[in-house]
Amino acid sequence: MASIHEVAKAAGVSISTVSYALSGKRSIGADTRRRIDAAVAELGYRANAGARMLAGSRTNILALTAPLHEDTYHPAHMRFVMAVANAARARDYDTLLLVQDDATAGLERVTSSALADGVVVLDVDMHDERIERLRSLGARSVFVGIPADTTGLRCVDLDFEAAAALAVDRLVDAGRRSIGLVGHPERLYGRGSNFPLRFRRGFAEAVERRAVLHAEVFPEETQAAARSAVATLVDGLPELDGLVLNCNEPMARAILADLAARGIDVPGAVSVVAGGANYSTRDFAPPLDVIPLIAEESCERAVELLVEAIEHGDAGERVELVAPRYVTRGSVVAYAASEPGPRRGARV
């Protein structure tokens, strides 16, 4: 089966020009269109799909590119997948899930064959290779995440920088002056995953603005790594009295368990906030104040924007940040004015 690359080469045009000609999204000169049509006919390029595109019909299918990496945390990943699928179904669209680690190959197959009317992009990296591929294919798309370069893109996500700042501000306003951050494993930052980097940047800016002592750890997701992370924070911040958790649920529970094993009282000695958490903290011991990451908020809006682009042709650049909200569950308390002992507070 011929590819869109071969059609473009045979017609002497770019891939995006072929995509525009077949989808009818942009006006193409008569001579260029004749050359593209001739190349499509000669190469037998997806004849049925091409006819469908030329006719301007829709499939009522949204492609969802959500690659599964070796370090993907599946419970959180699937919350976003299901949120997209449910939002699409509510608008009479089916969802075609692309999970290959080589995400660009799947995108090319789907867009070049007109299997889907548009693409929702999950698990976004700061310099995501899917961006240029979608641009070159001329595909309608919306990103759930904010890459470094958003030129011409539509993106929706929680404002992770603001979420980190909100967590720090709540702790500092409660009198906490020595704050640690437990983040995701280092490899996520090295890979360029956008949301851990944005939260980490927001935390760094907030502790600098509030002029408090701080330390950061990025443990692997094991019990031993959790113990080591707490040890590093306690050693690096002898008066540790505040903690921000921007990590997956198992690590958050392991950190709390190690604090308890060390006899460090939460919230009296160390007040704790879970920031950008996509899990419930109600049944934690103790329940944690949380700035939730709710998959439905960003995914429903992403699907809404994509369907608008499909049905009304509005595909202009837009970046929408969901404002963080703070849910109080009692894990952040203020120091009592008469509290004796060191700044960290009492140990039990």
Side-chain angles (χ1 to χ4, degrees), residues 66-72 74 77-78 98-102 123:
L68 292 174
H69 304 292
E70 183 180 350
D71 55 6
T72 295
H74 292 91
H77 194 75
M78 289 309 299
L98 308 175
V99 297
Q100 286 183 315
D101 200 11
D102 182 5
D123 194 24

Side-chain angles (χ1 to χ4, degrees), residues 53 66 91 119 148 305 328 338:
M53 287 189 291
R91 293 164 175 80
V119 182
L305 288 173
T328 301
S338 60

Side-chain angles (χ1 to χ4, degrees), residues 281-292:
T281 60
R282 289 180 182 276
D283 66 344
F284 276 46
L288 295 183
D289 286 19
V290 61
I291 302 167

